[in-house]
Each structure stands twice: as structure tokens, then as C-alpha cells.
């Protein structure tokens, strides 16, 4: 059965709403971060409570992401995506209008669940409407939204928060959602599986419980001192049991929620592992740099966003370049170069101090963006170039989920290590604060150990210095992780031309 592809105009009109929706969701992953302090004040919430604005979004999205593949196969991508856009837009409006914490937490959960299908199904649509020779360009377009979106989030969020209010972080989605919905309704093709697959309720429940327990463990661990807390231990036990049941069920039952056939494809299995590790190397470092820029360098939310713009520009530039060369040279070489760029950017961040100038922050961010662009696009091409067409919906959903899990683990891991490194540095610095220390006498000639003002002043400086040392140690850690990932690239197979393509789902 030969596959026909839409003409260039219709392909553009299908791509536009798909990318508009997926970019909107990608931006929303990070856009609310810089607005959290303003939201906390407006909603009269504590620090522990306001974190649920992020946690509810992530948990709901994690649970709904693998479900999107089955829903698209059962009811068709067009119906699933249009309903998802409507739900995401309405939830965004409710978030912006919320006047209490409970409302915004519920609305954020609805937003996360509604938007979960938009990124993986947009990727699957781009793969379907483009012939094999345009696969790299299609993934380049997808990469621009999915990679640049989270990077642009803090910039957009900082501007909207400073110029208008935190509510516009959510209201901005309304016109974008409406435009995306109308274009999808007019141009999006329908696709359904010819064979209806039953819904695996047991598999869905075990996967959902495992993901929810993992996300709660990651989000609450830092506040509760990790495994010193009985709550975190309970989450770990629940996650372990649910993961075990999921694995056994997947290997022994038919038509399971997670398809074991996906992991028989070596590129998909290895690529998913690499994507999860990129959560540490590429994605988890962005919020660390943002926090460092605001809290230690004293930049405003808007200025922090502007300093982060070159990171997005580097990603865009790398992606546009690679769209022309992917397929002409060994893709594994491009992946290795991307990891090298990421490693170099971390080494450059590690050489910074509290007096780093803005120009240095700009060009180092640009190098980091190039690294991300060089990694994500070729990885997407290699993962889906060898994957069976009939597994695209499930594959795109699981690949997206793997990335989200890697991002969440990476952020939690680096935050935990940052606290550890900062505490160790502070303990070391405090040891030297003595009246007889010549360095203290030189730096603070008026230091009076019996004065509360002098003690508060030197304690504040120690906190700043130790926090900066903690950040530097984190950047060195990520540098070594980037180098350690390079051998994994060699396990990927460079796909050759596919002699034939399997029949795709029926497109109406």
C-alpha cells in the first residue's frame, strides 16, 4: 500500500496549528517558574503550597502522556488534538482568573492533562505528512518548538510578569489556543487504526501510579530531606511495586498499555535512554542558570529572561543548520559534537564567579543552545527513522514521556546536589572566619566579632559565595556527565534508506 503525502500548502497548514499547540505546551513547562513569587503573594500561599502549582501540572501531564498514544489510535488524532487544545485553553483561562490556591492547582492539573497529547501527537503528525527525504526538516521544525519552548519560557514569563501581571502568563495561551483549534478543525487530517486495540486498564493504572509516585517523590524530596522522611519512603515503595507490576504485565499479557515491541527497536531503546540523560545535561541546567542569575547576580525577572535569549537563538541556529546536513553525514557524529558543545558550555559556566559580566553570560548561553540543538534534532531523526510506522503514536508518546521523566529527575538531582555542595562550601568558608585570619582583616578591616551587624554582613557574604561555589560544582558535574554520555552514541545505528514503508493508519 503506497502512502500519499499532502501538497506543500496543505502540509504547511497542517504543520502550523500542530506546532503552535505543541510550542504553547512546551513554553508552559517553564513559563510559570519566574512568576511563582508573585503568585505566592497574590494567593497568600506558603512556599510549600505554591510548589503544587508546578507539581500538579507535571503529575497530570506524566499520567496523560502515555495515554495519548492509545487515544489517538482509538479515536483519531484530530479528535484527540482538538479536544486537548480546547481543554488546555480553558484551563489556562481558569489559571489566570484564579483567586485561591485550590482553584489554580486544579486548573494546572487540567492544563497538564489536556496538553500532554499535543507534543507527541504533533511529532507523529509531522512524521506522517512528510516523505522520508523530508524527515530531517520535519524534525527540525518540531525541535524548534519543543527545544526552544522551555528555554523561552522564563524570558516570556519574566516579561509578562514585570510588564503586566502573573495572570498573563496563562492568559497569553487563549488567543494561541483559539487560533490552533480553528486551524486544526479546518486542515488536520484524520487518522485511526484499522484494528481497534482494547484499553489495558491494569497497565494504565500501574503506569499512572508509578509516575505519580515518582513525581511526588521528586517534588517533595528536597523539602522532606529525601529518604529520611517516611513520606518519601512510602512513595519509593509504591513506585517500586507499581513499576514491577507494569514490567511483569507488559511481558506476559497481550495488547498492553506500554508496547514491548517499541523496545525491540535498538535506536528507540537507546535513544530514549539518551533523551532521559539529556534531562540532566541540557534541560535541568536551564532553571539552575536562571535562579543563579536572579538570586546571586541580582538580575530582574525580565533581564534574566533577556540574558537567556541567546540560548534559544543558539538552538534555533543549530537546528536550521542541521536540517540541511542531517542524512549527509553520520548522525552519530553530530550527536557527539552536540554533547561536546554542551560539555564546553558547562565548563565555561564553571569558570564564572559573582562578578561575571553580562556579555559573558550571553555568549556562553549561546554555546549551550547550540549544544542542545545539535543533540535533539539528530536524536529524534535516528529514533523514528527505524521505528515501525504503526508504532508512531505510542512511540512519540513514550519518547516524550521519557524526556519529561529525565527532565524531572535531572532537576531534582541537580537541586539536591546543589544544596549538598553549597552546604559543604559554607562549612569550609565558616572555618576561616576568625578575627586573627589576615584575609578577614584585609577584606573587612572593620569586622567586629561581637557586633550583630558585622556578623549578619559576613554571614550574608558567606551565603552568596558558598551558593556560587555550589553552582560551579554542579556545572563541573554536568560537564563530566556530558562526556560520559558520548559512548552511548556509538550504540545507535545510522539508518539507511528504507526500502518500503509499512501501511500507515487510514487517513481521511
Amino acid at each position: 500500500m503506497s502512502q500519499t503525502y499532502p501538497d506543500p500548502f496543505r502540509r504547511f497548514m497542517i504543520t502550523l496549528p500542530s506546532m503552535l499547540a505543541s510550542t504553547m505546551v512546551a513554553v508552559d513547562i517553564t513559563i510559570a517558574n519566574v512568576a511563582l513569587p508573585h503568585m505566592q503573594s497574590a494567593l497568600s500561599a506558603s512556599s510549600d503550597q505554591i510548589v503544587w502549582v508546578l507539581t500538579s501540572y507535571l503529575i497530570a501531564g506524566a499520567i496523560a502522556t502515555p495515554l495519548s498514544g492509545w487515544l489517538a489510535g482509538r479515536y483519531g488524532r484530530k479528535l484527540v488534538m482538538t479536544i486537548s487544545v480546547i481543554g488546555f485553553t480553558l484551563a489556562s483561562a481558569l489559571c489566570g482568573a484564579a483567586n485561591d490556591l485550590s482553584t489554580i492547582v486544579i486548573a494546572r492539573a487540567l492544563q497538564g492533562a489536556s496538553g500532554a497529547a499535543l507534543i507527541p501527537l504533533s511529532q507523529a503528525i509531522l512524521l506522517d505528512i512528510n516523505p522520508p527525504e523530508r524527515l530531517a526538516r520535519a524534525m527540525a521544525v518540531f525541535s524548534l518548538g519543543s527545544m526552544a519552548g522551555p528555554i523561552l519560557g522564563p524570558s516570556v514569563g519574566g516579561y509578562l510578569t514585570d510588564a503586566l501581571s502573573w495572570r498573563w502568563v496563562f492568559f497569553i495561551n487563549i488567543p494561541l489556543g483559539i487560533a490552533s483549534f480553528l486551524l486544526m478543525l479546518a486542515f488536520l487530517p484524520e487518522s485511526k487504526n484499522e484494528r481497534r486495540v482494547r484499553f489495558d486498564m491494569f497497565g494504565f493504572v500501574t503506569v499512572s501510579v508509578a509516575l505519580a509516585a515518582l513525581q511526588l517523590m521528586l517534588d517533595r524530596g528536597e523539602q522532606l530531606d529525601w529518604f529520611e522522611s517516611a513520606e518519601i519512603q512510602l512513595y519509593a515503595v509504591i513506585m517500586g511495586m507499581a513499576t514491577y507490576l507494569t514490567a511483569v504485565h507488559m511481558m506476559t499479557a497481550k495488547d498492553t498499555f506500554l508496547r514491548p515491541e517499541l523496545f525491540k527497536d535498538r535506536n528507540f531503546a537507546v535513544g530514549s535512554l539518551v533523551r532521559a540523560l539529556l534531562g540532566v545535561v541540557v534541560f535541568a541546567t536551564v532553571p539552575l542558570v536562571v535562579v543563579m542569575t536572579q538570586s546571586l547576580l541580582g538580575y530582574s525577572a525580565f533581564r534574566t529572561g533577556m540574558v537567556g535569549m541567546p540560548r534559544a537563538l543558539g538552538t534555533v541556529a543549530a537546528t536550521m543548520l542541521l536540517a540541511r546536513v542531517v542524512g549527509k553525514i553520520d548522525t552519530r557524529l553530530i550527536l557527539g559534537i552536540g554533547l561536546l558543545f554542551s560539555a564546553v558550555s558547562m565548563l565555561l559556566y564553571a569558570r564564572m564567579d559573582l562578578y561575571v559580566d553580562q556579555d559573558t553570560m550571553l555568549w556562553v548561553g549561546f554555546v549551550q543552545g547550540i549544544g542542545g540543538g545539535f543533540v535533539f534534532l539528530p536524536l529524534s531523526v535516528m529514533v523514528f527513522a527505524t521505528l515501525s510506522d504503526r508504532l508512531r503514536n505510542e512511540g512519540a508518546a513514550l519518547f516524550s514521556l521519557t524526556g519529561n521523566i529525565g527532565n524531572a529527575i535531572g532537576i531534582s538531582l541537580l537541586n539536591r546536589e546543589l544544596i549538598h555542595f553549597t552546604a559543604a562550601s559554607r562549612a569550609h568558608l565558616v572555618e576561616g572566619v576568625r578575627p586573627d585570619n589576615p584575609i578577614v582583616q584585609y577584606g573587612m578591616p572593620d569586622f567586629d566579632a561581637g557586633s550583630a551587624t558585622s556578623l549578619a554582613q559576613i554571614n550574608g557574604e558567606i551565603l552568596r559565595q558558598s551558593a556560587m561555589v555550589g553552582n560551579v560544582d554542579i556545572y563541573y558535574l554536568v560537564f563530566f556527565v556530558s562526556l560520559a554520555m558520548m559512548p552511548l552514541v556509538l550504540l545507535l545505528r545510522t539508518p539507511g534508506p528504507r526500502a518500503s514503508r509499512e501501511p500507515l493508519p487510514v487517513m481521511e
Side-chain angles (χ1 to χ4, degrees):
M1 178 180 175
S2 61
Q3 168 68 15
T4 58
Y5 299 96
D7 59 76
F9 173 76
R10 186 169 178 81
R11 185 165 57 228
F12 172 78
M13 296 307 296
I14 295 171
T15 302
L16 180 60
S18 301
M19 290 313 305
L20 189 60
S22 61
T23 303
M24 180 173 64
V25 175
V27 169
D28 255 61
I29 294 172
T30 57
I31 194 172
N33 292 17
V34 294
L36 278 184
H38 300 268
M39 296 165 62
Q40 180 181 346
S41 176
L43 301 174
S44 301
S46 66
S47 299
D48 289 349
Q49 291 173 330
I50 201 65
V51 172
W52 282 100
V53 172
L54 302 179
T55 303
S56 60
Y57 181 89
L58 294 172
I59 291 176
I63 293 173
T65 297
L67 183 60
S68 62
W70 182 87
L71 288 173
R74 177 66 175 81
Y75 299 104
R77 290 180 192 150
K78 183 171 185 176
L79 180 62
V80 174
M81 290 195 69
T82 50
I83 291 178
S84 295
V85 169
I86 292 172
F88 190 86
T89 306
L90 292 175
S92 298
L94 186 58
C95 287
N99 290 314
D100 60 84
L101 182 65
S102 299
T103 301
I104 197 169
V105 168
I106 294 172
R108 282 286 282 174
L110 176 60
Q111 195 184 35
S114 299
L118 294 175
I119 292 180
L121 293 187
S122 293
Q123 185 176 31
I125 286 173
L126 292 186
L127 288 166
D128 274 3
I129 66 174
N130 287 275
E133 61 271 15
R134 290 185 56 89
L135 180 62
R137 293 188 180 184
M139 289 300 94
V141 172
F142 177 77
S143 299
L144 288 177
S146 56
M147 277 288 294
I151 296 173
L152 285 173
S155 305
V156 177
Y159 172 77
L160 292 174
T161 301
D162 286 351
L164 298 170
S165 79
W166 65 267
R167 298 182 184 277
W168 280 94
V169 167
F170 303 107
F171 286 150
I172 191 66
N173 291 329
I174 297 175
L176 299 177
I178 293 173
S180 179
F181 170 73
L182 294 176
L183 288 171
M184 282 182 183
L185 211 58
F187 295 100
L188 205 64
E190 188 54 275
S191 62
K192 295 181 181 178
N193 285 341
E194 295 179 349
R195 182 176 70 91
R196 291 190 175 184
V197 179
R198 69 176 182 86
F199 182 66
D200 177 19
M201 179 59 74
F202 183 84
F204 171 68
V205 171
T206 55
V207 169
S208 299
V209 170
L211 292 173
L214 172 64
Q215 193 64 58
L216 284 168
M217 187 172 67
L218 295 174
D219 290 347
R220 299 276 293 164
E222 184 180 325
Q223 305 168 36
L224 302 177
D225 198 20
W226 292 99
F227 290 99
E228 297 299 320
S229 164
E231 181 181 336
I232 299 302
Q233 293 173 9
L234 177 62
Y235 292 148
V237 170
I238 293 174
M239 184 192 69
M241 292 177 61
T243 303
Y244 171 76
L245 291 173
T246 298
V248 172
H249 178 68
M250 185 172 66
M251 297 302 175
T252 57
K254 294 182 179 180
D255 294 331
T256 53
F257 186 67
L258 294 182
R259 307 282 289 275
E261 305 100 292
L262 289 168
F263 302 101
K264 293 179 181 178
D265 185 291
R266 188 170 78 183
N267 273 18
F268 184 86
V270 176
S272 296
L273 174 61
V274 172
R275 176 62 186 87
L277 291 174
L278 289 178
V280 178
V281 173
V282 177
F283 290 93
T285 53
V286 173
L288 286 183
V289 173
V290 169
V291 171
M292 180 192 76
T293 307
Q294 282 188 281
S295 63
L296 298 181
L297 304 184
Y299 289 19
S300 66
F302 175 68
R303 188 182 177 193
T304 299
M306 292 301 100
V307 168
M309 286 294 289
R311 194 180 300 113
L313 294 176
T315 300
V316 172
T319 302
M320 294 180 68
L321 172 65
L322 290 180
R324 299 180 177 275
V325 302
V326 168
K328 299 179 181 178
I329 59 178
D330 194 328
T331 315
R332 293 171 297 183
L333 176 62
I334 300 175
L335 273 169
I337 293 173
L339 289 172
L340 185 61
F341 265 100
S342 296
V344 168
S345 69
M346 289 299 105
L347 198 58
L348 293 172
Y349 275 124
R351 298 179 65 84
M352 293 181 180
D353 56 30
L354 289 169
Y355 309 102
V356 63
D357 60 276
Q358 181 174 292
D359 289 346
T360 300
M361 293 289 296
L362 292 172
W363 74 264
V364 173
F366 184 76
V367 173
Q368 186 185 18
I370 291 177
F374 266 69
V375 167
F376 194 78
L377 171 58
L379 183 63
S380 297
V381 170
M382 295 189 77
V383 164
F384 289 98
T386 59
L387 190 66
S388 170
D389 293 334
R390 63 184 176 83
L391 295 174
R392 274 186 182 163
N393 286 337
E394 293 84 355
L398 191 57
F399 187 66
S400 177
L401 176 65
T402 304
N404 292 339
I405 291 175
N407 297 349
I409 293 176
I411 291 172
S412 294
L413 175 64
L414 294 190
N415 279 333
R416 180 187 180 280
E417 293 305 307
L418 176 62
I419 293 171
H420 172 75
F421 290 147
T422 300
S425 174
R426 184 178 185 278
H428 177 71
L429 291 174
V430 167
E431 290 176 358
V433 181
R434 304 186 310 272
D436 61 336
N437 189 330
I439 297 177
V440 174
Q441 294 174 0
Y442 176 78
M444 299 183 68
D446 298 329
F447 175 66
D448 179 5
S451 168
T453 302
S454 294
L455 290 175
Q457 182 180 0
I458 198 168
N459 183 60
E461 185 60 24
I462 288 174
L463 288 174
R464 290 180 68 242
Q465 295 287 349
S466 60
M468 190 66 206
V469 172
N471 276 277
V472 167
D473 288 341
I474 285 292
Y475 300 139
Y476 274 122
L477 173 64
V478 178
F479 165 73
F480 289 116
V481 172
S482 301
L483 296 181
M485 285 178 61
M486 288 185 178
L488 283 175
V489 173
L490 300 177
L491 298 177
L492 294 166
R493 293 181 301 166
T494 301
R498 297 171 71 175
S500 63
R501 298 173 60 88
E502 300 176 31
L504 291 175
V506 176
M507 304 192 71
E508 300 172 357

